[in-house]
Amino acid sequence: MTACDRVDHHDHPQLKTGEQFYDYHCASCHRGSGEGAIMEGVPAVKYTSMKIRDIVEHIRGHGRADDTRMPTFSDMSVYEAERIAVYIRLELRAR
């Protein structure tokens, strides 16, 4: 898990699924359940109403507030960000 250290790591060929990408990049802050850590100001992603393409852009740093604490994954491929977005919208929400 690397998201909260603000380092943009993308050399992980062993990761294939949206869940694996989410666990690696997102779960340390947003929790494996997607429930976030509201007391620490980390929003729940499980209930987002954002469209998949908007989640992808958000992950990659486009259209975010300047004061966000979320790291910008500008070097993340669109493919990887899409896998995470689909996982959030379709699989996390179903749990």
Side-chain angles (χ1 to χ4, degrees), residues 2-3 7-26 52 55-57 59-60 72-88:
T2 62
V7 176
D8 202 3
H9 297 284
H10 295 288
D11 183 22
H12 40 63
Q14 75 282 9
L15 304 180
K16 307 284 187 222
T17 69
E19 182 175 15
Q20 290 170 333
F21 289 128
Y22 176 87
D23 287 345
Y24 186 82
H25 291 292
C26 312
I52 289 173
I55 297 170
V56 169
E57 293 302 306
I59 290 169
R60 298 186 72 226
T72 299
F73 295 99
S74 57
D75 291 339
M76 182 182 286
S77 70
V78 171
Y79 173 84
E80 191 171 326
E82 285 174 345
R83 300 290 68 77
I84 293 170
V86 168
Y87 175 72
I88 289 169

Side-chain angles (χ1 to χ4, degrees), residues 1-69:
M1 294 184 220
T2 62
C4 290
D5 69 7
R6 295 191 171 270
V7 176
D8 202 3
H9 297 284
H10 295 288
D11 183 22
H12 40 63
Q14 75 282 9
L15 304 180
K16 307 284 187 222
T17 69
E19 182 175 15
Q20 290 170 333
F21 289 128
Y22 176 87
D23 287 345
Y24 186 82
H25 291 292
C26 312
S28 60
C29 295
H30 293 284
R31 295 185 169 170
S33 65
E35 298 286 342
I38 302 305
M39 297 300 286
E40 297 171 20
V42 178
V45 294
K46 181 175 185 171
Y47 308 110
T48 185
S49 61
M50 294 172 72
K51 294 179 178 2
I52 289 173
R53 74 174 187 276
D54 296 329
I55 297 170
V56 169
E57 293 302 306
H58 193 79
I59 290 169
R60 298 186 72 226
H62 306 289
R64 280 203 241 150
D66 291 334
D67 63 347
T68 184
R69 292 182 355 205

